[in-house]
Amino acid sequence: AADASEADSILVPLVGLQMPVARLELAGARIVRADTVEAPAEALHSEGMRRSSWEPQFLAVADAGDGPEGTAAALRTLRELVTLLRLFKEGGVGLGPHAFAPTGEGRWRRIATGAAAPRLAVYKLVEAETGELRDFANAVAGRPYPRGELAWAIARFEMGCERPTATEALSDHLLSLRALLDEDGALSAALGVRVAALCAEPGEREDAKRRVERAFALERRVMSGEVVERSSEEIEGALGTATWVEEALRSILRDAVRGSLGTSVGEAADEAMVASGLEAGEGSAQQMGETSEWEMPLPDGA
């Protein structure tokens, strides 16, 4: 395995990460505890890293080819690593403001990453999750790079992950869901029904649909300038709604990037609704949404 001190590697301090292992290989990149490799003193500072001075610093490392193109490719790999971490689970994680490339004789070249600061929270992996994360990374590594609506939805999801709270990220995450699911599918299903079909068990889909509806109502209130935070109960309710939407979106995106939802997320949602309806003997309005959401288009002349 390549060491972070080799001349063809780029390393970046990771903000917010805590984990119990010293090294984790993740399909093209690796995470190493800073005290196990040679690294510049600047990469070991705790300021701005969301950790106490006695907690270990972790570095994201990627191999770099020759010239500016090699450096750019390595930084792109490390940005994709952060995307992978954010899709895997909740928490505030991101790249530090500077990457470092060894130039020989203990010297380092500093490179601006342009990375936005992540949410004010830690990103804690327990030992069992490190294996699950590795499996997820391997599954994604064999897939084509996301394009079109999926790529846009992931980018918008990450913008939300960089907002101070899930409530402030709500519009980003609803926009991401719209990009994935608000399309003309065979069933013209409402967005909430499609989200529920993909991220909730059949018996929980009506509740999931109502949660999405509450999220849109909350967004409209915020957009109108209404102050939502009037009481601790209202703050807690808004945060709970926004957190649920974020996790539902994370689940859908995670399945999409590893290929579990085929080429169209919207079509996968419609197929899941059809399947659940057949299993329930066509289902009920409560299970499957309003009648208008389930009308099939008739052929011309029918």
Side-chain angles (χ1 to χ4, degrees):
D3 187 274
S5 62
E6 291 184 4
D8 59 351
S9 294
I10 298 289
L11 64 84
V12 184
L14 279 169
V15 180
L17 177 67
Q18 297 178 3
M19 68 176 188
V21 298
R23 187 182 186 94
L24 186 59
E25 300 282 345
L26 292 172
R30 53 201 175 273
I31 300 173
V32 298
R33 204 173 64 204
D35 62 358
T36 66
V37 295
E38 183 183 346
E42 189 175 351
L44 308 180
H45 293 166
S46 60
E47 292 84 0
M49 292 293 110
R50 314 279 169 83
R51 67 179 181 88
S52 299
S53 58
W54 62 85
E55 293 175 320
Q57 176 65 52
F58 287 92
L59 309 172
V61 185
D63 297 333
D66 295 332
E69 295 82 5
T71 299
L75 289 174
R76 186 164 55 250
T77 295
L78 296 179
R79 285 192 291 268
E80 291 168 3
L81 170 64
V82 169
T83 300
L84 189 83
L85 293 171
R86 290 172 174 173
L87 288 173
F88 180 69
K89 66 174 293 183
E90 75 288 346
V93 66
L95 297 178
H98 296 105
F100 301 90
T103 59
E105 298 181 355
R107 298 183 179 182
W108 299 81
R109 177 166 60 99
R110 192 173 71 173
I111 307 159
T113 62
R119 187 173 299 168
L120 287 169
V122 298
Y123 186 95
K124 189 171 184 177
L125 288 170
V126 299
E127 190 158 3
E129 288 175 323
T130 60
E132 295 171 9
L133 175 58
R134 190 184 300 109
D135 291 343
F136 176 51
N138 290 337
V140 172
R143 301 287 306 166
Y145 193 79
R147 298 183 181 276
E149 291 90 349
L150 179 56
W152 192 92
I154 292 171
R156 200 76 207 195
F157 164 74
E158 292 204 82
M159 289 182 192
C161 292
E162 292 161 359
R163 306 293 182 192
T165 67
T167 306
E168 293 176 74
L170 182 61
S171 286
D172 295 301
H173 293 157
L174 289 176
L175 278 172
S176 183
L177 286 172
R178 288 187 186 108
L180 292 170
L181 296 167
D182 192 11
E183 58 186 30
D184 294 326
L187 302 175
S188 299
L191 182 63
V193 180
R194 280 179 161 170
V195 172
L198 291 177
C199 69
E201 295 297 323
E204 301 171 349
R205 286 178 182 172
E206 184 61 25
D207 178 64
K209 179 186 172 186
R210 285 196 296 266
R211 285 176 181 267
V212 176
E213 291 168 352
R214 284 199 295 270
F216 279 113
L218 174 61
E219 183 191 39
R220 286 192 293 272
R221 291 175 63 188
V222 173
M223 290 172 65
S224 70
E226 183 178 344
V227 178
V228 176
E229 292 84 355
R230 293 176 178 171
S231 67
S232 60
E233 183 177 346
E234 191 165 16
I235 293 171
E236 191 173 313
L239 181 59
T241 295
T243 299
W244 185 91
V245 168
E246 180 174 322
E247 190 52 40
L249 172 60
R250 177 178 285 110
S251 174
I252 292 170
L253 289 172
R254 198 164 51 232
D255 284 344
V257 298
R258 61 185 164 203
S260 303
L261 301 180
T263 58
S264 169
V265 178
E267 289 178 7
D270 291 345
E271 290 169 4
M273 288 188 292
V274 170
S276 66
L278 292 174
E279 290 171 6
E282 298 302 335
S284 64
Q286 287 74 26
Q287 291 171 314
M288 303 174 66
E290 300 299 326
T291 304
S292 61
E293 295 170 359
W294 287 88
E295 291 177 352
M296 296 290 289
L298 294 175
D300 293 340

